[in-house]
Amino acid sequence: MAPGVARRARQRVRILPLAGARSRSAEDWWWDRLAPSGSGYHLLQSDSMLLVLPGPGPARRRAQRRAARRAQLLRLHGARAAEAKAKPRTAPAPAPAPAPQQEPDPGWGDRIPLEILLQIFGLLVAADGPIPFLGRAARVCRRWHEAASQPALWHTLTLSPPLVGRPAKSGTKTEKKLLASLEWLMPSRFSQLQRLTLIHWKSQVHPVLKLVSESCPRLTFLKLSDCHGVTPDTLIMLAKACPQLHSLDIQHSTVESTAVVSFLEEAGPRMRKLWLTYSSQTTAILGALLGSCCPQLQLLEVSTGLNHNSTPLQLPVEALQKGCPQLQVLRLLNLMWLPKPSGRATTPGPGFPSLEELCLASSTCNFVSNEVLDRLLHGSPHLRLLDLRGCARITPAGLHDLPCQELEQLHLGLYGMSDRLTLAKEGSLLLTQKWCHTLQELDLSGQGFSEKDLEQALAAFSGAPGASHLALCSLNLRGTRVTASTVSSVISNCSGLLYLNLESCRCLPRGLKRAYRGPEEVQWCLQQLLTSLPPPS
């Protein structure tokens, strides 16, 4: 369209407006004439031309939009007024009654009864301990805080300051901060505390144990691991304030022997369990035990510290049997134990009639012989576990003469020392014939028994009557001369075997000299052994 024609058309529209279109401008009329609303076209006007283009058009000016919106509202208001005049007048409907206001839902955590919540928390605490679970649960809601604050859940506690890169001064500050928290936690939470473990406390052991003696009358077990500064007054105060305390573990801690002796003299009649680390001061503590200060002692464990002590430990067997007649567990771990000779005129001791576990394991060769073992176990018919690892002087004949008939675990492994010793090549049959029906774990690692002797010994697990009820579940044959046929026979007859160690067994095929864990691996080993065996002639 030419510019002159468009200009004349606009002038004609301005001069001759349509009747009844006073509220509309000429531009609106022209717009609707050339591109009606809903047609899908719009006008684009410039200085030299006027175009009709497809698509939605540009927005109109603000004044025009306001005028159009105002006219629409007036028409809508007039239509509502006409409808109201046409309808007959009726009585107004009564207002609906206000709905009762509902209180906000506190959440499902508050709807659980406190007794049920305590049972749930108790199961979690029994599995993982009270920390950090109870501390986090107390911040969930008021009901959980009430449940987590019950002293019945805080019966076991382990306290250890952080150790990551702390110097001595910052470690002391950390212990003081933790002590400040314990000052208000002890009376409110720990009134029913039964088991307490302190680890890596260097300077604040006495204040902590003082709080325990004031707030924890039901304490039964105390463990101090890598702790320093334990004085005689501290342990005596604890023994007097906690009448149910019967177990003390001070392994790897710096505790004076006088402090332990004073504690045993005060709490000795009720002591049941005692753990010690062998040092130059252990002799005084063992002397108190030999003097019958702990007649009800059931567990005694003495082990070496991180720094191995080469000083031999002299322990009179008969005196220990008289001083601790109720002993059930005796562990002398990694010690160079030198039993005092009994002498010709010495009468045999009463033995340990209640002993169920004896552990004399050592990484070096010790002085335990058949004669010493008989002095220890001649009166122990109920022995269940016998750990003699490193005791190279013990022979199968000496074990066969023991009075125990229902031994469940027998450990005779020699680790790293069998090359320097002259070992017995026969006698393993004496062990398996006596205990084949009760043995659950058997360790013959490093023993020098011959191939034929091992074959006869392990055949006891398959040739005896009632072999289907064998309890053997762990067998360690590391470094022995066992053959493939012997191993396959044992696996076939012991269906409950869960662990089998065949490392460094020279008579086995390559690829099978390793440890097998679980029934799947053990059965896989059986299949490989059967395929490697030569066919019968």
Side-chain angles (χ1 to χ4, degrees), residues 170-187:
S170 63
T172 304
K173 292 181 180 180
T174 304
E175 292 183 12
K176 290 183 178 180
K177 290 181 180 180
L178 188 54
L179 179 62
S181 302
L182 293 176
E183 290 178 352
W184 65 269
L185 278 174
M186 284 285 182

Side-chain angles (χ1 to χ4, degrees), residues 5-17 26 29-30:
V5 177
R7 190 179 303 110
R8 286 193 300 270
R10 286 198 298 271
Q11 292 177 357
R12 190 165 49 252
V13 168
R14 293 192 187 100
I15 297 173
L16 299 174
W29 180 88
W30 186 259

